Amino acid sequence: MAASSRAQVLRLYRALLRESQRFSAYNYRTYAIRRIRDAFRENKNVADSAKIEELLNKAKANLEVIRRQV
Amino acid sequence: SGRTSDGSGAPRPLYMDVQATTPLDPRVLDSMLPYLTAYYGNPHSRTHAYGWESEAAMENARRQVADLIGADSREIIFTSGATESNNMAIKGVARFYKSRKKHIITTQTEHKCVLDSCRSLETEGFRVTYLPVKKNGLIDLKELEAAFQPDTSLVSVMTVNNEIGVKQPICDIGEICRARKIFFHTDAAQAIGKIPMDVNNMKIDLMSISGHKIYGPKGVGALYVRRRPRVRLEPLQSGGGQERGLRSGTVPTPLAVGLGAACEVAQQEMEYDHKRILQLAERLVRKIMSEVPDVVMNGDREHRYPGCINLSFAYVEGESLLMALKDVALSSGSACTSASLEPSYVLRAIGTDEDLAHSSIRFGIGRFTTEEEVDYTVQKCIQHVKRLREMSPLWEMVQDGIDLKSIKWTQH
């Protein structure tokens, strides 16, 4: 269980960074990359599974936001 | 989109003018898209799903704005921007209570729309006290207390100044006004979403909010109008009675949704943004001041919002410095007064010398500003200040120890 969700988190993280690279505007691109890194770093020690799920859902939603604009 | 849109092919300048306006946050744009495409109903249409879904979105946005400032949804009125909100608050309150109250108090450093609204009220027979500010840009609370008259209806003081970034003692002003049961309005356009604001803790009765200062869309803003105790105002705009009769006109759902989303994002990002912006601001000021002498920061060093830095470079003409810094988008005064040749009235109000006032530049640091942009701006600024001073005969005289104030400039 834990192993697959770790892989899932990393997959999401990489997908977010990859999509963010596609922003053509310098300020949006740099902000997205910076914010994603900082947010994942800040939450890396969260243990509560409900909280983890909430954060993952937020990340997925943000991924879709980026996809719609790049 | 990496080049300017005038077809010249030049790379776009760095944007360091966030007090003038801010880019849309991508999360805000995303929230608006459905209402610019499929969900285009009029939120006041009561009879079909297009209206209902549009209304639901508008009410959700209203709640998001209210949450940011600790208000109730019913206290938020959507407007076309902070200018309209300021006009509504000042003229609306003054006119409603005019039978018994004819006096208003404001400050000399308010935004043009506040000063102009007061000016127009004076032609209607109201009296206005324009409080001076101290050299640090803050009002003197004793002077405020002394300015009250038995028929004062309203005090209007902006939270964060758009030119020099100073933060007024809003909590204290709120206390003072509440004790005298006088309404307190604040233009919070540059403050909300950047510093915590709570209308109850700060005893604020009216607050103006601007969308495009907080990474939201242009053309929308809001006015907070307290319900308990009830603040009444005479509406500026007549019509179908929308927004509790205070502001008729179809509420532009996509813009309102954008404003709401901007407020929600700002609430989530406030701490992160503030920490970063403070770091970048300190970096900018420290680097410039350590390399270049005779630089003055306008406005109180402590009671300020860090993302708005106004510096005066002695012996350098502000406009020429701005033109030299052509690959950085900066401003020397506020956008609304930049067409005139007069130096900023805000700088005049804090007692800045005429020549120093002409030598000032405002640096804006925001959510999307990068460290590289700050470093580039600093490097270019230092380079051009040094170059312009080399060319300046005044600078040469100062280097030779001549006191410029002692010079008798003769007529030819």
Side-chain angles (χ1 to χ4, degrees), chain B residues 134-186:
Chain B
K134 299 182 282 194
K135 279 207 152 14
N136 62 1
L138 300 174
I139 61 159
D140 184 330
L141 292 170
K142 297 245 174 339
E143 290 199 24
L144 168 62
E145 294 190 78
F148 283 114
Q149 289 172 28
D151 66 339
T152 305
S153 60
L154 181 71
V155 168
S156 177
V157 180
M158 72 198 314
T159 310
V160 170
N161 184 278
N162 55 308
E163 289 198 36
I164 58 180
V166 292
K167 199 163 57 165
Q168 298 290 350
I170 296 298
C171 291
D172 294 330
I173 299 171
E175 283 281 351
I176 291 171
C177 291
R178 187 59 66 80
R180 289 163 180 70
K181 294 201 169 41
I182 289 172
F183 295 131
F184 173 36
H185 164 255
T186 185

Side-chain angles (χ1 to χ4, degrees), chain A residues 12 40 43 46 50-60:
Chain A
L12 199 43
F40 274 76
N43 290 306
V46 172
K51 180 79 176 147
I52 292 175
E53 191 178 330
E54 184 193 324
L55 289 169
L56 287 181
N57 287 333
K58 248 193 245 177
K60 286 187 192 137

Side-chain angles (χ1 to χ4, degrees), chain A residues 23-28 30-31 34-35 38-39 42 58 61-62 64-66 68-69, chain B residues 1 15 23-27 29-30 33 268-269 272-273 276 367-370 372-373:
Chain A
F23 268 118
S24 53
Y26 166 80
N27 291 102
Y28 288 157
T30 52
Y31 176 77
R34 175 175 62 243
R35 192 69 190 91
D38 288 347
E42 189 188 319
K58 248 193 245 177
N62 278 317
E64 290 311 306
V65 170
I66 298 171
R68 281 190 280 270
Q69 291 183 36
Chain B
S1 72
Y15 192 74
L24 264 189
D25 188 294
R27 292 164 285 199
L29 175 61
D30 194 73
L33 284 173
Q268 290 161 1
E269 301 288 349
Y272 178 90
D273 283 347
R276 258 194 94 244
R367 178 180 297 161
F368 299 99
T369 310
T370 65
E372 287 77 16
E373 286 174 317

Side-chain angles (χ1 to χ4, degrees), chain B residues 113-316:
Chain B
C113 57
V114 169
L115 296 177
D116 224 59
S117 297
C118 290
R119 207 106 37 213
S120 98
L121 284 177
E122 286 184 287
T123 68
E124 288 176 32
F126 291 88
R127 293 176 337 270
V128 182
T129 300
Y130 300 91
L131 290 173
V133 293
K134 299 182 282 194
K135 279 207 152 14
N136 62 1
L138 300 174
I139 61 159
D140 184 330
L141 292 170
K142 297 245 174 339
E143 290 199 24
L144 168 62
E145 294 190 78
F148 283 114
Q149 289 172 28
D151 66 339
T152 305
S153 60
L154 181 71
V155 168
S156 177
V157 180
M158 72 198 314
T159 310
V160 170
N161 184 278
N162 55 308
E163 289 198 36
I164 58 180
V166 292
K167 199 163 57 165
Q168 298 290 350
I170 296 298
C171 291
D172 294 330
I173 299 171
E175 283 281 351
I176 291 171
C177 291
R178 187 59 66 80
R180 289 163 180 70
K181 294 201 169 41
I182 289 172
F183 295 131
F184 173 36
H185 164 255
T186 185
D187 176 357
Q190 297 287 349
I192 70 146
K194 303 189 171 122
I195 58 171
M197 299 281 300
D198 185 299
V199 292
N200 292 315
N201 293 349
M202 295 167 158
K203 302 193 168 54
I204 293 169
D205 300 306
L206 296 128
M207 185 197 284
S208 301
I209 292 161
S210 171
H212 73 111
K213 305 293 165 39
I214 56 170
Y215 314 95
K218 293 174 187 53
V220 69
L223 178 65
Y224 158 76
V225 184
R226 178 175 286 281
R227 279 168 61 89
R228 295 232 203 94
R230 187 74 164 270
V231 178
R232 306 290 303 274
L233 44 96
E234 203 183 88
L236 229 43
Q237 191 150 306
S238 320
Q242 289 84 5
E243 298 300 277
R244 302 184 178 276
L246 294 180
R247 204 276 184 183
S248 294
T250 301
V251 170
T253 302
L255 296 180
V257 165
L259 176 61
C263 288
E264 189 169 275
V265 170
Q267 192 165 25
Q268 290 161 1
E269 301 288 349
M270 202 186 302
E271 196 184 321
Y272 178 90
D273 283 347
H274 194 273
K275 191 160 152 221
R276 258 194 94 244
I277 288 170
L278 180 59
Q279 253 169 17
L280 289 177
E282 288 177 341
R283 187 184 179 90
L284 184 145
V285 174
R286 188 180 18 100
K287 283 184 159 218
I288 289 179
M289 291 202 164
S290 66
E291 274 284 323
V292 174
D294 298 301
V295 179
V296 175
M297 183 190 285
N298 296 305
D300 196 274
R301 215 68 197 238
E302 295 225 3
H303 296 107
R304 59 173 26 257
Y305 171 65
C308 175
I309 302 152
N310 192 306
L311 300 176
S312 288
F313 297 90
Y315 321 111
V316 172

Side-chain angles (χ1 to χ4, degrees), chain B residues 63-83:
Chain B
R63 182 195 50 80
Q64 289 168 316
V65 178
D67 281 352
L68 181 59
I69 61 173
D72 182 280
S73 291
R74 290 168 296 175
E75 297 173 307
I76 304 295
I77 307 291
F78 288 113
T79 65
S80 62
T83 295

Side-chain angles (χ1 to χ4, degrees), chain B residues 29-46:
Chain B
L29 175 61
D30 194 73
S31 74
M32 294 169 68
L33 284 173
Y35 302 95
L36 290 165
T37 50
Y39 306 144
Y40 53 82
N42 182 318
H44 315 292
S45 297
R46 319 233 66 171

